[in-house]
Amino acid sequence: MPTRPPLGERPFITLPGGVQPLPGTLIPEGRLPPPAIPAQPGYLPGQQSAGQQASERALNERTLCVMADERAKLPPEQQAQYPDCPFTRAELAAGQGGQPVAQPESVERRWNLWADEVYYDISDHREGLDMSGSTNVFSLGADTRLDKNTILGFSVSRVDSKVDSFNGGMRMAAGGFNIGPYLAYQVSDSWMLDGTLIYGWMDNKQDLLFLSGDYGSTSLSGSLGATGQYFWSNTSIRPRLAINYSHNRSKGYRMSGDYQGLALHLDNESGSYNQGNMTGTVEFSRVYYTDIGLPLMPYAELGLDYGFERPNDGYILTGDLSSARTEPLSGTMRLGLRTLIGGEATLTTSAGYTSIGQDDLNIWEWRINLSKPF
């Protein structure tokens, strides 16, 4: 660290872990370089919206059920609990299953409560980085059927995220909430449309060596998607197309610290960025029955995620404090299982890898979801 600089000049900062800028080199315009993994991830590849989950539950009503010839296998106390399938085993084998049951124009108002927990583990070694982080999202929501085709709901999420890089020389942590409405609409026997609108606010803390600072940020995001369901023999095939877009703003803040009695400050101005992604996935599933007739639906999902608008145009900070542009296209893969608990409650668990094709970037996802109609 140099001696006290003249008034109006900024000190240079040397990061640990072998990253040594040339003496006298300043961080451009006195601003901290943007991290490769943001502390507030407005979007992660393959992230599922509340509207998508509503479409998923509506489609599950036609497949995650008990056929008439399987009901007798259930214990007597459970025979009246599980919902009836709208098709027979012969119809499913012939590819005729999955069609909705005829419903009256006015349906009884029903509500659904759900909870969703998703954990992301992230490591990034692109371009000489040594960065690790995690994000945890816990969501609660409720929705109701306005009519036989329309589902309207509201969700709230708690988001916690942390990032560590440069051997602990740079650390970021964020915590906040996302809230907003969502909608799902059945446009045909085989397709559901859904939309989600989310407003979020976060409290962020950034540490750089002996400097630290706090700031607030907000985001407004929306998603539109379409999910289909078709049958090939006993296999259900669900294609999906979706678009996600968000606008993020952060307040200006000051990084302050003390080094051997020398008070240092680094001012960061307010800023904003937009992020847009298009996703396409296809899910394959099949329903099996246990010895007591309980339906189990294992599934596999493959997808592509394309970032058509990204923060810093996709440029990230490298291990030597230069910048490099990353690829906008990544692949996603999930394996999961759905089943019924106590009659109508649906339990979904899955594990996924959402950074296929991004060399030296690994994003793992674990999810558990529970929904209960009443």
Side-chain angles (χ1 to χ4, degrees):
M1 182 61 65
T3 58
R4 184 187 300 271
L7 183 64
E9 294 187 9
R10 304 183 180 96
F12 69 83
I13 296 176
T14 302
L15 298 176
V19 181
Q20 303 289 335
L22 295 175
T25 300
L26 303 180
I27 295 178
E29 299 183 6
R31 295 178 60 86
L32 292 180
I37 304 175
Q40 181 193 357
Y43 178 82
L44 287 166
Q47 187 173 342
Q48 295 182 332
S49 67
Q52 179 181 352
Q53 294 179 43
S55 292
E56 179 183 290
R57 288 191 297 271
L59 295 174
N60 288 341
E61 293 176 0
R62 310 179 200 170
T63 49
L64 193 58
C65 48
V66 174
M67 298 184 186
D69 52 352
E70 300 285 353
R71 187 168 296 279
K73 298 180 181 180
L74 292 170
E77 64 275 10
Q78 295 185 5
Q79 289 186 5
Q81 291 183 357
Y82 297 108
D84 292 315
C85 292
F87 47 82
T88 66
R89 182 175 294 279
E91 290 173 335
L92 182 62
Q96 301 172 5
Q99 300 303 317
V101 208
Q103 298 182 19
E105 288 298 323
S106 60
V107 296
E108 180 184 358
R109 177 65 60 86
R110 297 190 66 189
W111 287 84
N112 185 83
L113 292 178
W114 57 270
D116 188 75
E117 170 76 14
V118 188
Y119 179 81
Y120 298 93
D121 182 81
I122 308 168
S123 64
D124 194 347
H125 299 281
R126 294 174 295 178
E127 306 294 337
L129 282 174
D130 184 14
M131 182 175 292
S132 60
S134 63
T135 295
N136 188 79
V137 184
F138 177 69
S139 305
L140 292 173
D143 54 58
T144 184
R145 279 191 177 271
L146 302 181
D147 53 43
K148 66 176 183 178
N149 296 323
T150 309
I151 300 172
L152 179 65
F154 191 87
S155 68
V156 57
S157 303
R158 170 67 188 184
V159 183
D160 291 284
S161 182
K162 60 182 180 180
V163 172
D164 187 290
S165 58
F166 297 107
N167 293 327
M170 180 185 290
R171 298 179 303 276
M172 299 185 70
F177 292 90
N178 292 329
I179 61 173
Y182 60 90
L183 177 75
Y185 183 78
Q186 181 178 328
V187 294
S188 70
D189 291 346
S190 301
W191 282 93
M192 299 284 300
L193 296 180
D194 59 79
T196 305
L197 184 64
I198 293 293
Y199 175 77
W201 65 94
M202 303 286 283
D203 294 318
N204 309 273
K205 181 178 181 181
Q206 184 170 7
D207 296 310
L208 180 62
L209 297 178
F210 47 83
L211 298 174
S212 64
D214 301 298
Y215 64 98
S217 58
T218 59
S219 64
L220 181 63
S221 60
S223 67
L224 293 173
T227 305
Q229 178 165 265
Y230 296 92
F231 282 82
W232 179 64
S233 185
N234 293 337
T235 302
S236 170
I237 303 173
R238 292 183 182 177
R240 176 173 174 81
L241 293 173
I243 184 170
N244 305 271
Y245 198 83
S246 66
H247 177 71
N248 304 265
R249 298 186 63 87
S250 61
K251 296 181 179 179
Y253 67 104
R254 167 171 287 190
M255 301 278 293
S256 302
D258 184 270
Y259 180 77
Q260 296 183 357
L262 177 65
L264 298 176
H265 305 286
L266 184 62
D267 291 324
N268 286 264
E269 299 175 356
S270 61
S272 65
Y273 69 88
N274 299 322
Q275 183 161 345
N277 292 75
M278 296 182 63
T279 62
T281 62
V282 59
E283 176 194 297
F284 302 90
S285 66
R286 183 171 179 175
V287 177
Y288 297 89
Y289 295 90
T290 66
D291 293 338
I292 62 171
L294 178 67
L296 300 175
M297 182 193 288
Y299 67 91
E301 179 190 278
L302 296 174
L304 289 175
D305 188 285
Y306 175 73
F308 60 86
E309 186 168 353
R310 297 183 292 163
N312 303 315
D313 196 28
Y315 282 90
I316 64 169
L317 181 70
T318 67
D320 60 0
L321 295 185
S322 61
S323 61
R325 194 170 191 271
T326 58
E327 293 296 328
L329 186 66
S330 61
T332 63
M333 176 180 65
R334 285 190 183 90
L335 296 175
L337 177 70
R338 303 184 184 103
T339 188
L340 295 176
I341 296 179
E344 293 183 324
T346 301
L347 175 67
T348 301
T349 60
S350 67
Y353 184 75
T354 63
S355 54
I356 299 174
Q358 295 281 344
D359 294 340
D360 299 321
L361 173 65
N362 296 296
I363 304 177
W364 292 92
E365 174 198 282
W366 288 269
R367 178 187 178 216
I368 182 169
N369 180 285
L370 181 65
S371 62
K372 175 68 170 68
F374 64 95

